[in-house]
């Protein structure tokens, strides 16, 4: 399973050979530098650590500066580990968008847009009361009853209520790679992916 770190650029649409208009997401993926190679002997598991996106040296901690110097690269903003990478990688190697081909299917991990504190209608799709007649007052978007009275005398765990919405890690699986642009480090995938424009995403092959 190979992968790469990238940034969500935005959405567009592409016409295929049959003339169908396909909604697509453009991802700026890589180039990523291998900053650490983990092995079973020293770490207990095998993985490689990739780093992406330039970062100012003055905003980098001293331990991380040494970590990047060891790999022979400049400070980076995002570090992600990938297990079972297809090819053998060494410290300081570069991973580019060329590991993907048109027609591949990928999984994309991102952080969804934060919506703040939301009510049950927006958060869980409750219908609300649906009318304002028969003496109702301020009940249109209310959650309604939370449970029984004397038994169990408590609210069951997992009850759907109002609360913080969004800003969670989400994986979207089996998105088709429509086009790859190695010169611009761009990856075009079919469909939508979580997150705002400019947010970090992880693309797994």
């Amino acid at each position: 399973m190979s992968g790469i770190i990238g940034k969500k650029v935005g959405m567009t649409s592409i016409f295929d050979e049959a003339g169908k208009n396909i909604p697509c997401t453009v991802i700026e993926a890589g180039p990523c530098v291998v900053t650490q190679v983990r092995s079973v002997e020293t770490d207990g598991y095998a993985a490689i650590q990739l780093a992406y996106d330039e970062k100012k040296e003055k905003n980098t901690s001293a331990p991380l500066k040494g970590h990047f110097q060891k790999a022979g690269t400049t400070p980076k903003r995002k570090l992600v580990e990938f297990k079972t990478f297809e090819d053998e990688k060494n410290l300081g190697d570069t991973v580019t968008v060329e590991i993907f081909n048109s027609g591949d299917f990928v999984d994309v991990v991102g952080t969804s847009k934060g919506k703040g504190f939301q009510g049950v209608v927006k958060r869980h799709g409750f219908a609300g009361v649906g009318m304002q007649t028969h003496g109702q007052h301020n009940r249109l978007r209310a959650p309604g009853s939370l449970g029984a009275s004397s038994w169990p005398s408590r609210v069951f765990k997992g009850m759907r209520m109002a609360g913080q919405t969004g800003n969670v890690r989400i994986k979207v699986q089996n998105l088709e790679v429509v086009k790859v642009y190695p010169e611009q480090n761009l990856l075009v995938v079919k469909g939508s992916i979580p997150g705002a424009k400019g947010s970090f995403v992880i693309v797994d092959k």
Side-chain angles (χ1 to χ4, degrees), residues 3 34 38 52 75 86 104 115 131 136 146 159 171 187 198:
V34 178
R38 296 194 179 274
Y52 171 70
E86 279 181 358
D104 287 350
K115 309 284 184 182
M131 57 186 181
Q136 296 188 67
L146 298 180
M159 181 68 66
K171 177 185 276 193
L187 194 65

Side-chain angles (χ1 to χ4, degrees), residues 121 126-133 136-144:
V121 172
F126 282 21
V129 173
M131 57 186 181
Q132 288 181 307
T133 53
Q136 296 188 67
H137 175 65
N138 292 347
R139 296 288 89 199
L140 269 179
R141 299 174 72 88

